[in-house]
Amino acid sequence: MTNIRTVLAVNMKTRRKELEISQAELAEKIGTSPNYISKIEAEKQFPSVQMIEQIASALECDSVDLFSNEKNEEKRIDYIRDDLLKNVCDLINASFQKV
């Protein structure tokens, strides 16, 4: 069983990346802080219905789409892979800077 916070977090992040906007840009569009967007995507905060509608509008999708569990596991694996790749690249760059 998938947690609704997880579904929302994954779908928000996926849609943001599709639109190529940062958390700060999304926050600015809906009049909130980047920290709040970060907390939603980290599953530490859950937005109100009104905020969900604003997020959906800013992400150019229906609010219902933010709760679709379709292909959610695939997206989660993609995020893990992308985060891992970024961390490896950061480690390599840090190693080269020390040399």
Side-chain angles (χ1 to χ4, degrees):
M1 180 177 279
T2 303
N3 183 316
I4 195 165
R5 288 176 188 253
T6 302
V7 173
L8 175 62
V10 169
N11 289 339
M12 273 181 62
K13 189 172 183 179
T14 299
R15 187 64 184 144
R16 259 194 330 96
K17 291 190 179 273
E18 287 171 354
L19 295 174
E20 299 179 352
I21 62 173
S22 66
Q23 288 179 341
E25 290 168 321
L26 176 58
E28 186 176 329
K29 285 184 171 195
I30 61 175
T32 192
S33 71
N35 187 44
Y36 182 68
I37 299 301
S38 176
K39 285 182 179 180
I40 296 170
E41 290 186 0
E43 303 175 40
K44 295 179 181 176
Q45 186 106 25
F46 195 81
S48 67
V49 171
Q50 181 182 8
M51 184 58 74
I52 290 167
E53 290 172 351
Q54 290 176 340
I55 291 167
S57 177
L59 294 176
E60 302 170 13
C61 66
D62 291 327
S63 54
V64 174
D65 294 337
L66 294 176
F67 295 96
S68 172
N69 202 19
E70 187 176 313
K71 296 185 182 178
N72 209 19
E73 203 56 40
E74 244 178 72
K75 292 174 191 174
R76 187 173 264 260
I77 291 168
D78 287 346
Y79 291 133
I80 292 169
R81 185 193 68 236
D82 291 349
D83 287 342
L84 181 60
L85 182 60
K86 181 187 178 304
N87 290 336
V88 168
C89 288
D90 289 346
L91 286 171
I92 291 169
N93 288 335
S95 295
F96 279 120
Q97 289 176 355
K98 289 180 181 179
V99 174

